[in-house]
């Protein structure tokens, strides 16, 4: 049986939600302990389709088009809704879902990528940094990130996590 990216994404996201509720219950976690951005990307290689769901702030790009999710420092994290809403109600009312076709490459990133500055406090262009990181070059993404921070004498002022996928 073959699932579309959207079908698999909804199943997997539902499992993440249900498991998070259960872990919170088992470990007696408070809401504040589970507040985090969640970006889920499901890529169906054969169909070249991409389904994404975002809860919180972040940045993603699909074939060169960059989208910023900025909730003005008041992100609507999944953790706020774990004990009040069903998975379907949370997904439909408190997340953003995107679908793309004919996708060749994409990335997802925390919003920390927008908080990279050179050492004299000038902000480096997020678009420029993303272009540098996602160009077809030798080395891993981590190595390219290190090269960029050295080249532009910059550092991250927030956590940065990036996942980059390319068909080539």
């Amino acid at each position: 049986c073959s699932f579309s990216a959207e079908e698999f994404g909804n199943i997997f996201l539902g499992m993440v939600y249900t498991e998070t509720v259960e872990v919170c219950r088992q470990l007696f976690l408070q809401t504040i302990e589970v507040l985090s951005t969640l970006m889920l990307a499901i890529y169906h290689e054969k169909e070249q389709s991409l389904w994404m769901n975002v809860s919180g702030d972040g940045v993603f790009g699909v074939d060169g088009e960059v989208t910023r999710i900025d909730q003005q420092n008041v992100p609507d994290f999944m953790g706020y809704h774990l004990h009040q809403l069903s998975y379907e109600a949370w997904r439909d009312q408190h997340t953003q879902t995107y679908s793309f076709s004919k996708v060749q490459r994409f990335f997802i990133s925390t919003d920390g990528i927008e908080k990279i500055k050179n050492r004299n406090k000038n902000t480096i262009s997020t678009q420029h940094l993303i272009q540098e990181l996602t160009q077809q070059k030798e080395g891993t993404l981590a190595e390219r990130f290190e090269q960029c921070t050295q080249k532009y004498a910059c550092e991250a002022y927030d956590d940065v996590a990036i996942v980059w996928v390319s068909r080539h």
Side-chain angles (χ1 to χ4, degrees), residues 13 16-17 34-40 51-58 60 69-71 74-82 90-91 93-98 109-110:
L13 186 61
V16 168
Y17 187 87
V34 291
L35 297 181
S36 176
T37 293
L38 173 63
M39 297 182 76
L40 177 63
W51 178 91
M52 292 180 39
N53 186 278
V54 180
S55 171
D57 290 342
F60 69 86
I69 308 298
D70 183 2
Q71 298 177 344
V74 189
D76 193 4
F77 296 129
M78 176 177 65
Y80 290 128
H81 309 287
L82 290 173
W90 166 72
R91 182 198 60 212
Q93 298 169 23
H94 298 281
T95 70
Q96 297 177 52
T97 301
Y98 303 86
S109 173
T110 60

Side-chain angles (χ1 to χ4, degrees), residues 37-64:
T37 293
L38 173 63
M39 297 182 76
L40 177 63
I42 303 294
Y43 183 66
H44 192 297
E45 188 173 19
K46 186 175 178 183
E47 295 179 3
Q48 298 179 12
S49 62
L50 174 65
W51 178 91
M52 292 180 39
N53 186 278
V54 180
S55 171
D57 290 342
V59 178
F60 69 86
V62 178
D63 292 330

Side-chain angles (χ1 to χ4, degrees), residues 135-154:
Q135 287 177 356
Q136 301 290 338
K137 294 182 183 178
E138 295 296 317
T140 67
L141 189 57
E143 291 167 342
R144 286 184 294 218
F145 184 79
E146 182 66 28
Q147 290 168 355
C148 281
T149 58
Q150 290 176 6
K151 179 179 179 180
Y152 297 106
C154 59

Side-chain angles (χ1 to χ4, degrees), residues 9-157:
N10 278 308
I11 291 167
F12 190 77
L13 186 61
M15 291 169 57
V16 168
Y17 187 87
T18 302
E19 286 295 316
T20 305
V21 169
E22 185 61 23
V23 167
C24 287
R25 187 189 63 74
Q26 290 174 348
L27 299 178
F28 304 104
L29 297 177
Q30 301 298 311
T31 299
I32 191 77
E33 296 173 297
V34 291
L35 297 181
S36 176
T37 293
L38 173 63
M39 297 182 76
L40 177 63
I42 303 294
Y43 183 66
H44 192 297
E45 188 173 19
K46 186 175 178 183
E47 295 179 3
Q48 298 179 12
S49 62
L50 174 65
W51 178 91
M52 292 180 39
N53 186 278
V54 180
S55 171
D57 290 342
V59 178
F60 69 86
V62 178
D63 292 330
E65 286 292 317
V66 176
T67 301
R68 290 166 180 77
I69 308 298
D70 183 2
Q71 298 177 344
Q72 308 300 318
N73 286 326
V74 189
D76 193 4
F77 296 129
M78 176 177 65
Y80 290 128
H81 309 287
L82 290 173
H83 303 291
Q84 287 85 29
L85 298 175
S86 68
Y87 160 67
E88 291 81 7
W90 166 72
R91 182 198 60 212
D92 294 346
Q93 298 169 23
H94 298 281
T95 70
Q96 297 177 52
T97 301
Y98 303 86
S99 294
F100 303 91
S101 58
K102 296 185 173 75
V103 175
Q104 296 300 303
R105 58 191 222 165
F106 69 93
F107 76 89
I108 59 174
S109 173
T110 60
D111 63 343
I113 197 167
E114 297 187 302
K115 297 174 180 117
I116 295 175
K117 301 178 184 208
N118 69 13
R119 291 191 180 89
N120 57 1
K121 305 300 184 214
N122 293 325
T123 303
I124 189 168
S125 159
T126 302
Q127 186 70 29
H128 183 75
L129 182 61
I130 289 167
Q131 286 173 346
E132 288 272 335
L133 291 173
T134 59
Q135 287 177 356
Q136 301 290 338
K137 294 182 183 178
E138 295 296 317
T140 67
L141 189 57
E143 291 167 342
R144 286 184 294 218
F145 184 79
E146 182 66 28
Q147 290 168 355
C148 281
T149 58
Q150 290 176 6
K151 179 179 179 180
Y152 297 106
C154 59
E155 58 189 311
Y157 284 78

